Amino acid sequence: MNKTALEAAFKNHYGTSCLIVRSPGRVNIIGEHTDYNAGFVLPAAIDKAAYVAIAKRADNKVGMYATAFHEDFETSLQDIKTTPLGWPNYILGVIDQIQKSGVELSGFNLLVDGDIPIGAGLSSSAALECATLFAITELFGLQFTKIQMAYMAQKAEHDFAGVNCGLMDMFASLFGKEGHVIKLDCRSLEYEYVPLDIKGYKILLLNTNVKHQLSSSEYNTRRIQCEQGITWIQAHEPLVLSLRDATVAMLDEYILPKDVLIYNRCKYVVEENARLLNACNDLKNGNIQALGEKMFETHEGLKSLYEVSCPELDFLVDQVKGHPAVLGARMMGGGFGGCTINIVKEEAIEGLVANLQPLYEKHAQKPLSHYIASIEQGTSVL
Ligand code: GLA
């Protein structure tokens, strides 16, 4: 919905005027599962977003309405806890964080809308958390910085959605800049905007429409496996604080003799970090061919070593590999479903999608959706 339609919907539902915040979803060019290993990521905010319309109310309650589900939820500010309903948890988690920071809120109503496909790996949840946090911050004149907001949204996801995610999604949503990717150092939080200059190519997202139930439990397991690897390395190399500091030689020496599975997980992360730094240089040097090749390598690592892909994602990547108009492709985000990100020559997109659709539908027994993502600004008041 646009601003006028959102204002009208809010007035219709709650009877008052409102403030509206937009917070976008994200893509990630390269650097997957590196954020929680204190490594680098290369995300960007996109033209699909979550919208939160908000206004104060006179009591101590929070009213919520999600346009996507036509569902209401109401609770008291004294009783913020998870609900089986699902979507309110992203909002409740954020309120919980604000209250834990020592801020005393009074009641408000909130209407949630958006056009980020849910479960597509485009971070609809982080976008909703960031939109909510930004909206409450604005409404009550709070003093949170964007970095604080990113951490609070991340903690909300950990505590109320049960996913021990890294900081990438929230950071990208809050800090996005039109036409730029963000090279983020997830340890120091230093970041650099790099122009996404891909000359005649576009970012094409192909959605498998697969939403694996496994994703959060397997995600949390990957984190634990990486931490196990670090513990084994640290026994010999106390200066290694995370996989960011590790080398493949260390993995060969300290992890391989103990456990091949943990070794594979760690090897992927160590290689991916190096790959990202090189890919970033490719982008700066205008060598998008080389960048694209690295995306294929990332997919291979995520599939074979990190094992977070799924047959539908692999099928889509295999289909475009070697296609003259496709520079790179890989699964994107946490894995087990969602989208592949593809760098495709603009004029070839339509034909490529038209060819892929029947093939995918036959193979996966599911429809293939696609989006051309443009890179937009991060969170803001509308
Ligand atoms: C999800 C998480 C992120 C990140 C990616 C994988 O999107 O929310 O923090 O770990 O998976 O790169």
Side-chain angles (χ1 to χ4, degrees):
M1 272 192 249
N2 64 22
K3 188 176 176 199
T4 320
L6 275 168
E7 280 167 347
F10 193 91
K11 184 140 216 168
N12 185 32
H13 208 76
Y14 292 116
T16 66
S17 57
C18 62
L19 171 104
I20 300 170
V21 169
R22 167 190 183 275
S23 202
R26 62 102 189 89
V27 288
N28 185 27
I29 305 294
I30 198 161
E32 217 64 88
H33 289 275
T34 43
D35 59 352
Y36 55 83
N37 286 302
F40 290 86
V41 288
L42 201 61
I46 58 173
D47 55 330
K48 292 194 178 290
Y51 296 88
V52 162
I54 193 168
K56 289 187 186 172
R57 55 189 269 174
D59 57 14
N60 240 353
K61 295 205 160 129
V62 187
M64 307 173 197
Y65 177 70
T67 59
F69 308 114
H70 306 288
E71 262 171 14
D72 276 294
F73 182 80
E74 193 180 276
T75 190
S76 147
L77 279 166
Q78 275 69 53
D79 191 26
I80 300 297
K81 56 176 193 291
T82 55
T83 152
L85 195 55
W87 64 268
N89 287 319
Y90 300 104
I91 296 157
L92 294 166
V94 162
I95 298 171
D96 178 57
Q97 283 303 306
I98 296 175
Q99 290 184 329
K100 283 190 174 139
S101 80
V103 169
E104 233 176 86
L105 295 171
S106 58
F108 54 91
N109 288 319
L110 191 146
L111 178 142
V112 179
D113 185 54
D115 57 3
I116 310 174
I118 294 172
L122 303 178
S123 296
S124 55
S125 58
L128 175 54
E129 287 150 357
C130 292
T132 304
L133 199 37
F134 206 93
I136 297 175
T137 300
E138 283 287 318
L139 186 70
F140 290 93
L142 309 178
Q143 301 296 321
F144 301 124
T145 63
K146 279 197 199 173
I147 296 273
Q148 285 172 318
M149 287 190 216
Y151 276 125
M152 290 164 84
Q154 181 193 24
K155 193 76 177 43
E157 179 92 19
H158 289 188
D159 292 354
F160 275 62
V163 182
N164 290 327
C165 63
L167 202 63
M168 167 171 75
D169 305 345
M170 294 75 192
F171 201 96
S173 190
L174 287 159
F175 285 84
K177 179 172 172 178
E178 194 182 343
H180 291 71
V181 294
I182 311 170
K183 181 186 175 195
L184 171 66
D185 179 337
C186 297
R187 172 176 282 164
S188 66
L189 293 196
E190 272 169 29
Y191 62 98
E192 181 192 351
Y193 290 115
V194 181
L196 185 67
D197 193 1
I198 49 174
K199 314 167 188 95
Y201 286 79
K202 292 264 170 198
I203 296 178
L204 171 68
L205 302 171
L206 294 172
N207 188 352
T208 58
N209 287 304
V210 173
K211 206 182 156 198
H212 273 239
Q213 293 310 323
L214 272 178
S215 57
S216 50
S217 61
E218 286 293 320
Y219 185 93
N220 294 346
T221 305
R222 293 299 175 283
R223 277 200 81 146
I224 294 168
Q225 290 167 333
C226 292
E227 279 154 23
Q228 175 63 73
I230 280 299
T231 310
W232 286 337
I233 299 173
Q234 273 174 344
H236 306 271
E237 308 268 357
L239 294 182
V240 170
L241 301 178
S242 69
L243 287 177
R244 149 81 169 276
D245 309 314
T247 61
V248 174
M250 291 176 191
L251 309 181
D252 287 344
E253 194 171 348
Y254 308 127
I255 303 184
L256 188 56
K258 285 194 198 290
D259 190 320
V260 180
L261 186 80
I262 305 280
Y263 173 80
N264 286 343
R265 305 293 192 246
C266 296
K267 185 157 184 268
Y268 162 75
V269 173
V270 170
E271 288 178 348
E272 178 70 351
N273 234 345
R275 200 156 35 225
L276 178 139
L277 295 174
N278 291 328
C280 216
N281 289 333
D282 294 339
L283 185 59
K284 288 180 184 169
N285 298 330
N287 189 353
I288 47 174
Q289 261 79 16
L291 168 74
E293 280 156 26
K294 292 186 180 69
M295 292 170 72
F296 283 118
E297 287 168 23
T298 292
H299 185 79
E300 192 46 45
L302 288 165
K303 174 186 166 188
S304 308
L305 296 175
Y306 217 63
E307 295 183 284
V308 290
S309 188
C310 65
E312 294 85 351
L313 287 165
D314 296 340
F315 179 82
L316 288 177
V317 172
D318 287 343
Q319 288 297 315
V320 301
K321 209 179 259 169
H323 190 293
V326 181
L327 291 185
R330 63 178 194 83
M331 57 145 282
M332 190 178 72
F336 302 102
C339 290
T340 61
I341 175 169
N342 304 259
I343 311 275
V344 187
K345 211 171 195 97
E346 190 170 5
E347 59 267 25
I349 290 181
E350 217 177 293
L352 179 76
V353 172
N355 282 338
L356 273 176
Q357 250 152 1
L359 293 175
Y360 180 78
E361 281 163 29
K362 186 154 178 263
H363 175 86
Q365 306 292 312
K366 282 187 181 59
L368 176 71
S369 339
H370 72 284
Y371 325 100
I372 298 171
S374 70
I375 305 304
E376 302 293 338
Q377 285 296 118
T379 317
S380 66
V381 173
L382 278 196

